[in-house]
Amino acid sequence: MHWQSFSEFISMGGYGFYVWGSFGVTFLAMGLELWLVNKRRQRISQAVKQEAI
Amino acid sequence: MTENSQEVKPAKALSTFSVLYRILARDIQVALRRQSDVAAVFFFFIIAASLFPLGSGADPKLLSAMAPSVLWVMALLSCMLSLSRMFSSDYADGTLEQMMISNQPVVLIVLMKILAHWILSGLPLVFVAPLIGLQFNLGGAELQILAASLLMGTLALSLIGSIGAALTLGIRGTGVLIAILVLPLYIPVLVFGAGAVNAVSIGMSPNGALSLLGAVLSMALVFAPLASAAALKIALE
Amino acid sequence: METNTGTNRPRINWLKYASPKTFYPLAGKLIPWCAVSAAVLIAYGLYIGLLVAPTDFQQGEGYRIIFVHVPAAWFSMFLYLLMAMYAGLGLVLNARLSYMMATAIAPTGAMFTLIALVTGSLWGKPMWGAWWVWDARLTSELILLFLYIGYFSLQAAIDDKNRADKASAVLALVGAINVPIIYFSVKWWNTLHQGASVSLTQAPAMAAIMLKGMLIMAVGFWLYSIAVILMRVRCEILERDSKTAMIRQD
């Protein structure tokens, strides 16, 4: 383990905003993409089920 | 224009060369009959380029530093403005379809349309850009290289642009769409074209940039007519 | 697996998966595996990148951005080329599934391009002192984003699905031929105009552990991409062929 304390880990040697910002943006975007695709899938399968009835 | 479309599908079989020559000559004739279209692109280049000093101030040093990029970007936009006309009138009156089903190679027909576009909207810029360059305080060596780079570069622009024109044939709101499709593809031409002029102005040899521009041109010469022909076939399906 | 349907039985077994109808359930089976292993690998990559890897002597802790930036940049380009490959395959074989794959790949590729741009500028602010520097790599990413935008715009502008598929396939191929040329021209332009001297990707003298973290992250992103793309291609298949009974096969 590289870090001595949790606050040191959070501050990232002064680069905290940039490092956490980057990781945050990346995983937010990926999460958002998953959510959007999933929503699209639900919408379609609902429409298909209605068609079947 | 019915008498023109008959020229393309003659009763007696013409050689490929003479058919291609007729296509080129016809395109230029038709365009010259509507002089205002050709002149509009030409004047757009002059007017738009003249706006920059009005925005930035007339400091001669600043102007000569800006000139290569300003003139080249304006050349890009001027060539792009007239792209949608490359195939659209022939598409509208059915001539294009006739050309595609004629027994002449489609790639060469497309190449002729591209050449006509270049002669009408690229080539004039080669002659007028040095005049505008004078207003931007460019020296004699820079002006020569500017004209030389535009001579090669505008042909590459017409070639690459033909792909955009063919892909968007018959689609509503074509103008902006062509810009979005084609401008990113124009970047290497801009970089090497303006780079050649920049190289001269900082006392370096422009040969590197010019030969890279030549390489881009020859790649475009090989691939662009193929891609445009494929795109036209898709549009006419 | 034995489907005794046709005369040329030996060819059916693999051509089978080129049809959307049979690909749909196969993709459905693959998605959970890819998603789970993506999650595990990304978590492991994060552990190495954020907790184990040592400080870079030149860039301090700021270099840790590369653990997301570099894989995102790789996949932004790789997915564009993959999209173009499927587009080309579609044009050659006239296979609908190939077009659907190309369509499904584009949004993920564009998202990774956007991530690479944002993380690049988050790296640039402390290192270069500016949110944007016309660095060769960042500029190429920006142009790549423009290429993706062109692909989406063309697809959106054409109403006829069949023509939209084919036209955007041609555009993707033209773009793919241009990507290396654009990259080279931007690099050339950058050296002519003396751009930023420190670059995001070449800066840290890669310690083995850093490289390992980055590669693990990249494989994680790859599996994530496969999972999302398969999910999207299933949506695409349903939207186009929804009348068939695919849903019931699940």
Side-chain angles (χ1 to χ4, degrees), chain C:
Chain C
M1 279 313 226
E2 284 295 302
T3 45
N4 239 333
T5 41
T7 43
N8 49 350
R9 220 174 85 216
R11 291 184 64 197
I12 285 176
N13 270 341
W14 83 265
L15 269 183
K16 221 175 78 159
Y17 294 107
S19 114
K21 205 172 165 183
T22 38
F23 185 75
Y24 183 86
L26 176 74
K29 276 179 210 133
L30 283 173
I31 289 168
W33 291 99
C34 292
V36 169
S37 38
V40 170
L41 280 170
I42 289 174
Y44 185 43
L46 281 176
Y47 166 74
I48 292 180
L50 288 172
L51 296 173
V52 178
T55 313
D56 182 65
F57 74 99
Q58 223 184 348
Q59 305 177 19
E61 309 295 353
Y63 90 93
R64 288 179 199 278
I65 292 172
I66 66 163
F67 288 110
V68 284
H69 172 85
V70 172
W74 283 349
F75 283 107
S76 63
M77 302 209 183
F78 175 72
L79 288 177
Y80 192 91
L81 297 179
L82 192 69
M83 176 181 91
M85 209 196 76
Y86 272 110
L89 213 62
L91 286 173
V92 171
L93 303 176
N94 201 15
R96 280 167 61 244
L97 186 61
S98 291
Y99 293 129
M100 293 184 197
M101 279 301 282
T103 313
I105 290 170
T108 304
M111 185 203 66
F112 277 129
T113 316
L114 210 59
I115 289 177
L117 281 173
V118 172
T119 54
S121 100
L122 277 166
W123 182 89
K125 181 63 184 165
M127 299 298 166
W128 293 323
W131 291 107
W132 183 265
V133 169
W134 291 92
D135 163 69
R137 283 168 198 258
L138 275 183
T139 309
S140 310
E141 283 294 323
L142 185 66
I143 297 166
L144 187 65
L145 185 65
F146 296 161
L147 290 178
Y148 276 116
I149 290 172
Y151 182 84
F152 293 132
S153 315
L154 184 63
Q155 246 180 3
I158 306 177
D159 295 324
D160 173 21
K161 250 310 190 229
N162 187 31
R163 188 185 161 190
D165 277 342
K166 288 180 179 169
S168 54
V170 170
L171 184 69
L173 278 177
V174 171
I177 294 175
N178 260 274
V179 163
I181 302 172
I182 289 172
Y183 184 70
F184 174 75
S185 74
V186 169
K187 238 177 127 172
W188 182 88
W189 161 82
N190 205 238
T191 50
L192 185 74
H193 295 278
Q194 303 286 315
S197 55
V198 208
S199 182
L200 179 41
T201 38
Q202 62 203 204
M206 280 286 184
I209 185 77
M210 295 178 187
L211 194 65
K212 185 184 164 194
M214 216 165 76
L215 289 176
I216 287 170
M217 213 55 170
V219 178
F221 277 24
W222 178 219
L223 288 162
Y224 164 87
S225 309
I226 297 175
V228 177
I229 289 164
L230 289 180
M231 281 168 79
R232 198 177 285 117
V233 90
R234 270 162 65 98
C235 291
E236 204 71 36
I237 294 171
L238 282 182
E239 267 178 2
R240 298 188 191 195
D241 311 342
S242 65
K243 281 95 206 161
T244 51
M246 261 171 258
I247 281 269
R248 269 175 248 146
Q249 290 182 20
D250 268 342

